[in-house]
């Protein structure tokens, strides 16, 4: 960030951009029990997929890549649960 200090992190950003910056970077603790349970369920689902990959795939680069991809899926899934929705974003589901 040229000519920028931490105090003016929002300088030059419009309201939508400020919201998106906060949505992406701020810590979003679970709002309620349902959110905490959603995190737990997602972790359990990804953990089961990782365990199956470890059991059934031969050791090697590709298996390592599968586990890395599942690490990414775990992170992105938890971010999707934790972060507030994007302004103007799509509804839940795919």
């Amino acid at each position: 960030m040229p000519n920028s200090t931490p105090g003016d992190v929002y300088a030059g950003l419009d309201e939508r951009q400020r919201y998106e910056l906060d949505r992406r970077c701020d810590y979003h603790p679970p709002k309620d029990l349902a959110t905490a349970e959603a995190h737990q369920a997602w972790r359990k689902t990804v953990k089961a997929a990782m365990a199956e990959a470890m059991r059934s795939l031969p050791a090697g680069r590709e298996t390592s890549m599968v586990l890395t991809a599942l690490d990414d899926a775990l992170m992105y899934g938890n971010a999707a649960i934790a972060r507030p929705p994007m302004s103007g974003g799509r509804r839940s589901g795919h």
Side-chain angles (χ1 to χ4, degrees), residues 4-87:
S4 182
T5 62
D8 67 355
V9 68
Y10 298 110
L13 301 180
D14 63 30
E15 185 176 338
R16 182 193 56 77
Q17 291 169 318
R18 290 175 185 206
Y19 175 83
E20 184 63 12
L21 183 63
D22 288 345
R23 189 187 78 77
R24 287 175 177 255
C25 297
D26 289 356
Y27 173 65
H28 305 290
K31 301 178 287 279
D32 50 36
L33 183 59
T35 302
E37 289 173 345
H39 282 289
Q40 185 176 5
W42 180 243
R43 283 191 301 273
K44 182 178 178 181
T45 297
V46 175
K47 189 174 187 177
M50 284 182 156
E52 183 57 30
M54 290 174 174
R55 272 191 295 273
S56 62
L57 299 174
R61 181 177 182 275
E62 290 78 9
T63 298
S64 180
M65 298 286 289
V66 167
L67 295 173
T68 298
L70 289 168
D71 279 334
D72 289 345
L74 179 63
M75 177 190 63
Y76 288 125
N78 277 322
I81 293 165
R83 291 175 176 170
M86 290 174 54
S87 60

